[in-house]
Amino acid sequence: MKEKIKVGFYGVSGCSGCLLTVLYEDCFKELVKMVDIKSFPFIKEDSYKGKFDYCFIEGTVCFDEDIVTINELRKRSDKVVALGSCACFGCVPSIRNFHNQEKIMSFVYPKYNHLKEVDPTPIGDHIKVDYYLPQCPPDKKEILEFVKCILTGREFKSYTSPVCFECRKKGNPCLLEEGKICLGPITNGGCGALCPSNDTTCYGCRGPCKDANYEAFFKMLKEMGHTNKEIKDKLETFAGLAFKEEEGESSKWLER
Ligand code: SF4
Ligand code: SF4
Ligand code: SF4
């Protein structure tokens, strides 16, 4: 019988929500049939010190020890997969980049902080990442589809159309038309327009859509009466660093 591929799951500074998504009964049951899970926080002691074919990493790099951890995992892994918005874009911890860092650290770690913090950044800023599975938390079906692709040699294709595409297909009422800030037009879909389908605006957790017209989108939001702060607050929540990078030097939403 062919040996199963060796897989590891790890987390740096995250909330463990991505790992818990994998642990949900139906996802995990299917996963263990397909791969040999050598390491998984909460359920397997981390005694395995060998190599991985694929290593899934959750979380943002927030502390110097995170950099040590991911470098070590990179050395031991043939392929590295960024699991969830934190690993892909920096997500909620990266909001710190857009505010007074010292003030925020004093709120979160008021005293006795023995950790040496670094600017919160996605893991791809520190090590080579082979695949990205964004979303906060990531989609179980997409994780399983990814694993099926690697096992069958099919190419894994990330979804590249905006959230609006799936949202319109579902026939949802448009929240922008209700005057709300919905980032659907500038965000990569693949979530089935999860939030707008539940009457909640998109916060951009699957990252920026490559072909989006940011300038026109922000102009429209301003014309709708939204303030710079409201737009900034929304954009920085899940993928602020990635939106900043995608928009480029010509138009800086952070300075609006
Ligand atoms: S992506 Fe979301 S669920 Fe995953 S670790 Fe970050 S905050 Fe938690
Ligand atoms: S609700 Fe949001 S995602 Fe849906 S069509 Fe409107 S802008 Fe796009
Ligand atoms: S609608 Fe937006 S915020 Fe909600 S899951 Fe999809 S990409 Fe993320």
Side-chain angles (χ1 to χ4, degrees):
M1 206 171 99
K2 205 178 159 205
E3 209 181 319
K4 285 178 176 174
I5 64 164
K6 296 183 185 66
V7 167
F9 284 85
Y10 286 87
V12 284
S13 298
C15 76
S16 301
C18 298
L19 296 171
L20 287 171
T21 298
V22 179
L23 270 186
Y24 272 124
E25 208 179 328
D26 48 346
C27 183
F28 197 71
K29 266 187 192 163
E30 222 179 304
L31 204 57
V32 290
K33 283 188 218 154
M34 297 190 282
V35 298
D36 181 6
I37 297 177
K38 290 290 185 193
S39 178
F40 202 118
F42 322 125
I43 56 167
K44 281 205 161 184
E45 295 218 357
D46 197 16
S47 54
Y48 178 74
K49 299 292 173 214
K51 298 260 183 192
F52 299 108
D53 295 303
Y54 284 80
C55 183
F56 294 77
I57 305 176
E58 172 210 84
T60 307
V61 171
C62 292
F63 302 101
D64 57 351
E65 64 185 32
D66 293 337
I67 300 175
V68 175
T69 304
I70 61 172
N71 272 307
E72 194 251 338
L73 291 172
R74 179 67 264 186
K75 281 188 203 137
R76 288 169 58 200
S77 311
D78 190 22
K79 303 282 184 203
V80 166
V81 184
L83 182 67
S85 301
C86 282
C88 292
F89 312 119
C91 200
V92 175
S94 74
I95 294 174
R96 211 175 90 200
N97 290 293
F98 306 112
H99 296 269
N100 181 319
Q101 299 227 18
E102 270 178 38
K103 196 171 160 192
I104 288 186
M105 284 305 285
S106 71
F107 282 138
V108 184
Y109 302 102
K111 281 180 184 177
Y112 315 124
N113 178 21
H114 66 284
L115 301 166
K116 188 169 182 295
E117 74 264 23
V118 295
D119 288 347
T121 31
I123 63 168
D125 281 14
H126 303 271
I127 57 166
K128 178 177 172 254
V129 172
D130 299 285
Y131 297 99
Y132 292 86
L133 295 177
Q135 202 167 316
C136 173
D139 183 356
K140 289 184 281 183
K141 283 198 215 102
E142 193 173 26
I143 296 167
L144 291 172
E145 173 61 16
F146 172 76
V147 173
K148 283 173 191 163
C149 281
I150 58 179
L151 292 180
T152 56
R154 265 188 298 133
E155 188 193 351
F156 176 75
K157 287 198 181 130
S158 303
Y159 197 93
T160 52
S161 299
V163 175
C164 291
F165 189 73
E166 292 166 300
C167 192
R168 298 321 281 166
K169 258 173 86 175
K170 284 191 159 178
N172 295 332
C174 182
L175 300 170
L176 272 178
E177 285 171 13
E178 293 175 18
K180 297 173 184 164
I181 302 178
C182 179
L183 299 186
I186 60 167
T187 301
N188 264 337
C191 58
L194 186 63
C195 302
S197 301
N198 290 287
D199 202 24
T200 305
T201 53
C202 173
Y203 271 79
C205 84
R206 287 184 66 94
C209 188
K210 294 275 172 213
D211 299 326
N213 186 340
Y214 294 92
E215 216 32 59
F217 181 63
F218 297 135
K219 188 166 175 276
M220 183 190 70
L221 292 179
K222 298 275 285 182
E223 282 167 6
M224 284 162 66
H226 293 292
T227 63
N228 294 344
K229 185 176 180 314
E230 285 168 342
I231 299 170
K232 181 174 172 287
D233 284 351
K234 196 91 182 190
L235 277 157
E236 71 187 19
T237 310
F238 284 101
L241 293 173
F243 280 120
K244 187 180 168 197
E245 192 180 317
E246 193 59 37
E247 211 195 351
E249 289 304 309
S250 59
S251 176
K252 303 182 179 88
W253 57 263
L254 283 167
E255 292 168 14
R256 279 157 199 273

